[in-house]
Amino acid sequence: KQEVTQIPAALSVPEGENLVLNCSFTDSAIYNLQWFRQDPGKGLTSLLLIQSSQREQTSGRLNASLDKSSGRSTLYIAASQPGDSATYLCAVRQGNTPLVFGKGTRLSVIA
Amino acid sequence: NAGVMQNPRHLVRRRGQEARLRCSPMKGHSHVYWYRQLPEEGLKFMVYLQKENIIDESGMPKERFSAEFPKEGPSILRIQQVVRGDSAAYFCASSPGHNYGYTFGSGTRLTVV
């Protein structure tokens, strides 16, 4: 059974700092990996989707990498801003099975 | 494209009543997924449907919960005889196929009083 772990559970950084969020998964035979953002009381916003054949994806100040063989992904956020404060969720998909989510990293960017 | 539409946004039910949650997938998306999120917990998969078919219901409680995705109209998650423990945020997501990412709706927040 696939399990997804996100470390740290919570992170607080000053504005402007670069940061890395970590995601690990137990079964490396994944189809794709998706990073989401969730604001309090809101739905999930997709940030980046990485297919199993890809090593990384970039969108603006966000860069996600995937090392399938070691079961790891990182989300790099450059020049963090208070508006980046949210919970970041990592999820993996295997074949025909639905996405399996980690519990998320709660990020606070302090002005 | 209006995205994934869920309604109602908030739903209050008394214990023993029925709750019906609706989800209209994005245009062109034939795969629908329902997840439940309890306070301070992660998203837990409930059920995966394609038009008129339940593909995977391994996350659905065996009693009181059912889901459908008819040929016409939205997907419905139905909870009969609700209990306080059913209070949670219920999210629907859709995708056009296995190779693609999910798009989530804004969720329905169910409160059982």
Side-chain angles (χ1 to χ4, degrees), chain A residues 31-32 34 36 38-46 49 51 89 93 95-103 106, chain B residues 9 31 33 35 37 40 42-45 48 50 55-56 91 95 97-102 104-107 109:
Chain A
Y31 220 59
N32 57 46
Q34 200 166 354
F36 295 88
Q38 185 176 29
D39 292 283
K42 304 290 185 185
L44 280 72
T45 300
S46 180
L49 170 69
Q51 300 292 350
L89 296 163
R93 186 166 194 182
N96 197 24
T97 61
L99 279 180
V100 176
F101 281 84
K103 291 190 175 181
R106 188 180 304 164
Chain B
R9 292 290 301 274
H31 300 236
Y33 312 84
Y35 285 78
Q37 186 176 42
E40 304 303 320
L43 279 122
K44 300 297 184 186
F45 165 73
Y48 163 30
Q50 293 182 33
I55 307 301
D56 182 348
F91 290 97
S95 77
H98 302 309
N99 286 354
Y100 301 87
Y102 287 19
F104 276 81
S106 298
R109 280 146 187 85

